[in-house]
Structure formats: C-alpha cells, structure tokens
C-alpha cells in the first residue's frame, strides 16, 4: 500500500462516521496485513507509545483538574477575579478570561476549564443578565488559554513525540497565552460598550477584597509555585503534575475543608476513565504515524512543501491552513501525534525552531475545539449553559478573532515563543 492509499482509506473511514480511534487502528491493521508485517508490531508500538515518564503527566493533570473543581478552588479563583474587575461594564466577561488564565496554570486543559469554572462563570453571567449563548461562547473561547499556558497537556504530548524539552515548551507557551488574554480582554471591553453588556453593582470594599484575596491565596499560589518550579529546574513536567495533585488534596482537605477522601477516590475513578480515553487514542495514533513514516509520507510531504517554497514563514503559514482544517475534523491530541512526525522534519529542515512549531501547532488545534464538527468545547459548553449548540456556534465566531490574531503574531514572530525559554535556559 502506498502512503496516499493509507491516507485516503483513513479519510474515507472518518467521512463514513467511523470513530477516530477505530479509523486509525483499522487502517494500520489493514496495512500490516496487506504488507505481511507481523501483527505483534501493532501491540509493540501501541504499548511503547504510552510507556513514557513524560506522558505520566497527562493523567496526573487530569486528576489535579478534577480535584480543583470539587474542592472549592474554582469558586475562590472566580470570586477573586470578580473582585478585581467584576464592577466594570462587561466585568463578568472579563472575570471569565482572568479566571481561565489563573485556572489554566493549574489544569493545563481546555475541557477542564469548561467543565469546572464553566458552571460557575456561565451561571453568574446569566444571573447578571447575559444571554446563555453569549455566556457560553465567551467561556469556550477563554478556555483555549488552558492548553497554551503552562502546564499544557497538548504541549507535553508534543514534546514527547518530538523528543524535545517539555520544560522549554511549557515556558514557550506563556507569552502567547498572555497575548490571547490581552487581546480577548480588549475585545470584551470594546463589545461591552458597543453592545451595552451588564455591569456589576458591587462597590469596592477593601475589607471584603482582603478577605476574598486571603481565601483565594492558596489557590492563586498554585500556578506561581508550578511556574517557579519549572523555571528553577526543581520540577520536570511530570513532577509538576504530581505536586499539583498533592497540593490540591492538601488545600481541599485541610485548608478549605471541602474535600473528603471519598471525593478524592471518586475523582480518581473519573480521572482514570478520562485518561484511558486519551491514552488509547495516543496508542492508536502512534501506530498510524509509524505506518505513515514507513511509507515515507513525511518525505513526500517535504518534497511537496519545498516545491512550493523554501521560506520558513511561507511554509508555516501553509502549515497553519492545514492545521486549522485538521483541527475541525480530528481531536487535537490525535492530530499532534499523527502530524508531528510528518511536519517536523521538513519544517526544521527549512529552519523552523521545533519549540516554535509546537506552540503554533497547539494554537491552531485549539481553534478546532471551537469549530464544528468536532469542537468538543462547543458541545460541552452548550450542555453546561443549556443552550443549543447552533446558537453558541453563531455567537462564538467574533471571539475567535483574538485567538487567530495571536496565532498570526506568533507565527510571524518566532521570538514570541522562543525568546523566554532561550533567556532562561541559555543565559
């Protein structure tokens, strides 16, 4: 079977509605049978792909996010952000963005943000007079900060596949995440005046502010501790994940006293289920990527890309178009596992920094969380807000602009992602 035949067979299965996991696995099995390659290669490749210390961070961060959502930490992060900017017009929309930035420094995943903070944010916005579909669209858009800001699960997975420093990748995501945050807040400020968003009625009370800050301080310290640990070299990404779980249990059980041991066990069970669904996709994607590599698909793609241009910026812009399309139809983690071995060789040969490529790739694929037909954030937030997904899709379109603008900036100026890790780890 040729590489083109493999890709067409996989796309046919996806178009027919076959689940992504089965599509990748079935295509790989058919290839092994046709080429008379022993099927034990399948088991060997799939098991080895998840036998990774780095990937151990994935279930740990999922566990940490679940603990944060049940131990009162999410509520206190939201209350603190509300005290900061909740009084201005469109304040709760701004709170949504700030709270997502803080929470992203703990969970590393967009869906954890939507499932945890989303309930609190959407209900508060609806109570203040926001339409449910508007509240849902702002919540889904702000949740894309999570997979960019450290600790980012998609960046950790990219680092494992590309075999580059996970710590450098996580630090590289900080400035792009802050750019998205700033652009989103500026857009909300403009929309708040143009469309007369509701304003909070609470007056500033220093005593209440200090009280809310004190209660939120243990939660607010979490991302600070994690980032300092990464920067100082005390923690690896996996060790950061393990520490986050430990810290969440300590805060929830002994500081806020809202977490019971039964809840810890229940969250552990939920985390195992969520992790299994991710890791089985990683396994299937790894064997599929291996099949593509054996058939020299990366080489064919390299030749095609270089026939168009050798300029790294043009190649990155073409890659953006490809990734935006792929993100609409393939789940982000699977896309990272399939496309990284294919795109990394030609782009690094053209002079693109692998760390820069990782940030650009994740940014592109996070847009896919907000676009149909896959759009997992869309469907989750529509359930949380009890709003039809069709309405959420219509309302979310303007809120894609800050993310796309940040993507364009990061693509054109690589230093926005590579400068910080270079300064910290080189100098």
């Amino acid at each position: 079977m040729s590489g083109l035949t493999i890709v067409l067979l996989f796309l046919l299965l996806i178009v027919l509605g076959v689940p992504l996991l089965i599509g990748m696995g079935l295509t790989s099995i058919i290839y092994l049978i046709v080429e008379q390659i022993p099927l034990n290669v399948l088991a060997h490749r799939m098991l080895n792909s998840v036998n990774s210390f780095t990937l151990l961070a994935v279930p740990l961060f999922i566990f940490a996010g679940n603990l944060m959502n049940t131990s009162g930490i999410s509520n206190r992060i939201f209350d603190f952000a509300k005290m900061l900017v909740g009084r201005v017009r469109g304040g709760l929309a701004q709170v949504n963005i700030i709270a997502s930035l803080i929470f992203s420094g703990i969970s590393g995943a967009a869906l954890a943000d939507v499932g945890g903070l989303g309930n609190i944010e959407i209900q508060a916005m609806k109570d203040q007079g926001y339409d449910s579909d508007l509240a849902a669209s702002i919540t889904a858009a702000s949740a894309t900060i999570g997979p960019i800001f450290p600790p980012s699960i998609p960046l950790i997975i990219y680092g494992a596949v590309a075999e580059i420093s996970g710590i450098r990748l996580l630090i590289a995501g900080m400035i792009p995440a802050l750019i998205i945050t700033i652009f989103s807040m500026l857009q909300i400020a403009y929309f708040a005046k143009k469309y007369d968003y509701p304003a909070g009625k609470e007056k500033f009370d220093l005593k209440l502010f200090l009280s809310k800050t004190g209660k939120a301080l243990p939660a607010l310290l979490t991302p600070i501790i994690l980032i300092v640990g990464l920067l100082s070299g005390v923690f690896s990404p996996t060790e950061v994940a393990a520490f986050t779980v430990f810290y969440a249990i300590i805060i929830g059980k002994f500081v806020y006293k809202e977490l019971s041991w039964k809840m810890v066990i229940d969250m552990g069970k939920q985390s195992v289920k969520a992790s299994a669904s991710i890791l089985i996709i990683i396994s299937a994607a790894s064997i599929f990527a291996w099949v593509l590599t054996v058939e020299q698909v990366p080489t064919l793609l390299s030749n095609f890309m270089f026939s168009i241009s050798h300029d790294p910026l043009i190649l990155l812009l073409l890659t953006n178009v490809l990734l935006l399309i792929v993100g609409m139809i393939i789940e982000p983690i699977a896309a990272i596992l399939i496309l990284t071995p294919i795109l990394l060789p030609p782009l690094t040969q053209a002079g693109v920094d692998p760390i820069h490529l990782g940030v650009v790739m994740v940014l592109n694929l996070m847009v896919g969380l907000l676009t149909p037909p896959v759009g997992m954030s869309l469907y989750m937030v529509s359930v949380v807000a009890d709003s039809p997904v069709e309405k959420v899709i219509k309302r979310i379109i303007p809120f894609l602009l800050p993310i796309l603008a940040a993507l364009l900036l990061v693509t054109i100026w690589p230093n926005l992602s590579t400068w910080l890790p270079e300064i910290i780890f080189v100098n």
Side-chain angles (χ1 to χ4, degrees):
M1 294 177 69
S2 67
L4 179 60
T5 304
I6 295 167
V7 172
L8 290 176
L9 175 59
F10 170 69
L11 292 176
L12 175 63
L13 292 173
I14 297 301
V15 170
L16 291 175
V18 175
L20 179 64
L21 168 65
I22 297 175
M24 292 186 294
L26 184 59
T27 303
S28 303
I29 291 172
I30 292 173
Y31 172 80
L32 294 177
I33 293 173
V34 170
E35 297 296 325
Q36 298 182 339
I37 298 174
L39 287 178
N40 59 8
V41 171
L42 181 75
H44 176 74
R45 288 281 171 181
M46 292 182 72
L47 286 174
N48 277 356
S49 65
V50 293
N51 184 21
S52 166
F53 179 72
T54 302
L55 288 181
L56 186 59
V58 174
L60 288 172
F61 275 127
I62 292 172
F63 190 23
N66 286 336
L67 289 171
M68 297 287 178
N69 289 333
T70 56
S71 60
I73 292 175
S74 300
N75 294 44
R76 286 165 176 83
I77 290 174
F78 178 80
D79 288 343
F80 173 77
K82 187 178 178 181
M83 286 296 299
L84 288 179
V85 295
R87 298 177 302 280
V88 303
R89 183 160 300 282
L92 278 185
Q94 302 284 17
V95 168
N96 198 317
I97 297 168
I98 293 175
S100 291
L101 176 65
I102 297 171
F103 192 78
S104 70
I106 301 171
S107 69
L111 297 183
D113 189 332
V114 173
L117 277 173
N119 284 290
I120 305 166
E121 293 165 339
I122 291 172
Q123 187 57 52
M125 293 176 74
K126 289 165 70 174
D127 291 344
Q128 200 177 83
Y130 288 83
D131 294 336
S132 60
D133 48 332
L134 175 60
S137 61
I138 293 173
T139 300
S142 68
T144 57
I145 300 171
I148 310 299
F149 196 80
S152 161
I153 291 176
L155 283 176
I156 290 172
I157 292 173
Y158 171 84
V161 177
E163 298 182 349
I164 57 178
S165 170
I167 296 178
R168 289 184 180 233
L169 273 167
L170 293 178
I171 301 305
M174 291 178 66
I175 293 178
L178 292 174
I179 292 173
I180 294 174
T181 303
I182 293 169
F183 283 3
S184 298
M185 294 184 73
L186 290 173
Q187 183 190 48
I188 291 294
Y190 171 74
F191 281 179
K193 291 183 179 180
K194 183 176 181 179
Y195 300 112
D196 196 27
Y197 284 2
K201 298 178 181 179
E202 306 91 348
K203 294 183 178 180
F204 181 77
D205 185 317
L206 181 60
K207 185 177 179 180
L208 181 61
F209 176 77
L210 293 175
S211 172
K212 293 281 188 182
T213 303
K215 290 178 181 178
L217 189 60
L220 296 174
L221 285 174
T222 310
I224 296 173
I225 293 171
L226 300 187
I227 291 172
V228 170
L230 286 171
L231 293 177
S232 63
V234 173
F235 295 137
S236 69
T238 303
E239 290 163 346
V240 162
F243 177 81
T244 307
V245 171
F246 171 76
Y247 189 71
I249 293 174
I250 295 298
I251 294 176
K253 178 67 178 175
F254 302 106
V255 178
Y256 296 148
K257 298 181 180 179
E258 296 185 18
L259 188 67
S260 66
W261 293 119
K262 183 179 183 301
M263 292 168 67
V264 173
I265 294 172
D266 289 341
M267 291 305 100
K269 292 178 181 177
Q270 288 186 24
S271 302
V272 168
K273 292 178 181 178
S275 301
S277 65
I278 292 175
L279 293 174
I280 190 63
I281 289 174
I282 291 175
S283 296
S286 68
I287 184 64
F288 184 63
W290 177 81
V291 167
L292 294 177
T293 304
V294 169
E295 287 301 315
Q296 298 184 331
V297 173
T299 303
L300 295 173
L301 182 63
S302 297
N303 295 336
F304 173 72
M305 294 177 75
F306 287 138
S307 69
I308 298 174
S309 174
H310 283 75
D311 186 288
L313 177 57
I314 293 176
L315 293 178
L316 265 180
L317 291 173
L318 291 173
T319 301
N320 280 348
V321 175
L322 171 65
L323 290 172
L324 287 171
I325 295 171
V326 168
M328 293 181 184
I329 57 175
I330 298 181
E331 192 270 340
I333 291 176
I336 290 170
L337 289 156
I338 294 170
L339 294 177
T340 299
I342 296 174
L343 294 174
L344 189 61
L347 289 173
T348 51
Q349 187 179 344
V352 177
D353 190 310
I355 289 179
H356 180 215
L357 175 60
V359 175
V360 169
M361 179 177 286
V362 172
L363 261 172
N364 274 288
L365 295 174
M366 290 310 106
V367 176
L369 291 174
L370 307 176
T371 53
V374 174
M376 291 186 292
S377 289
L378 279 179
Y379 299 113
M380 178 177 283
V381 81
S382 67
V383 172
V384 172
D386 192 23
S387 181
V389 70
E390 295 83 6
K391 289 187 176 181
V392 177
I393 292 171
K394 291 179 181 178
R395 297 299 292 271
I396 205 171
I397 293 173
F399 300 105
L400 293 175
L401 295 179
I403 304 170
L404 294 173
L407 170 62
L408 185 60
L409 281 179
V410 173
T411 301
I412 294 174
W413 287 289
N415 284 343
L416 291 175
S417 57
T418 59
W419 172 77
L420 192 57
E422 285 176 359
I423 289 293
I424 292 171
F425 295 107
V426 176
N427 296 335

